[in-house]
Amino acid sequence: MPDLNQLRCEIETMRGQLGRQRKDILTLQRAGIGTASAEALLSRMHARIETLCAQRDALNSAEPPRKGRMFGGRNW
């Protein structure tokens, strides 16, 4: 099973790809070109992101809470 940082990086990468694909689909639709296969790919990518987010959340909840200073906390 991948670690938490790897999952976060993969989610971030796939979200960027998803945004670019959406932009490309809109361009194709404006040009009057069929986009059914591209939309199917988009839905598969979205499903993959959802599973990665579920894995990330499971790893996040399994990880013990961190103890220490909060950002901007005092040193007393």
Side-chain angles (χ1 to χ4, degrees):
M1 183 174 233
D3 68 337
L4 195 55
N5 287 331
Q6 185 180 3
L7 280 174
R8 286 178 177 156
C9 288
E10 192 171 348
I11 289 169
E12 183 180 347
T13 302
M14 288 195 71
R15 283 182 175 161
Q17 289 174 349
L18 193 67
R20 287 189 296 275
Q21 290 287 337
R22 281 187 185 142
K23 199 166 143 183
D24 290 343
I25 287 173
L26 286 175
T27 304
L28 291 172
Q29 286 174 342
R30 287 186 192 124
I33 299 171
T35 58
S37 61
E39 289 173 1
L41 172 66
L42 204 65
S43 66
R44 288 193 305 269
M45 288 176 69
H46 193 355
R48 174 72 178 145
I49 290 173
E50 291 297 321
T51 58
L52 288 173
C53 287
Q55 287 177 359
R56 179 202 59 199
D57 294 342
L59 282 175
N60 234 358
S61 64
E63 188 175 279
R66 295 182 183 164
K67 291 185 179 180
R69 275 184 42 196
M70 298 290 291
F71 291 116
R74 293 188 176 187
N75 286 331
W76 331 15

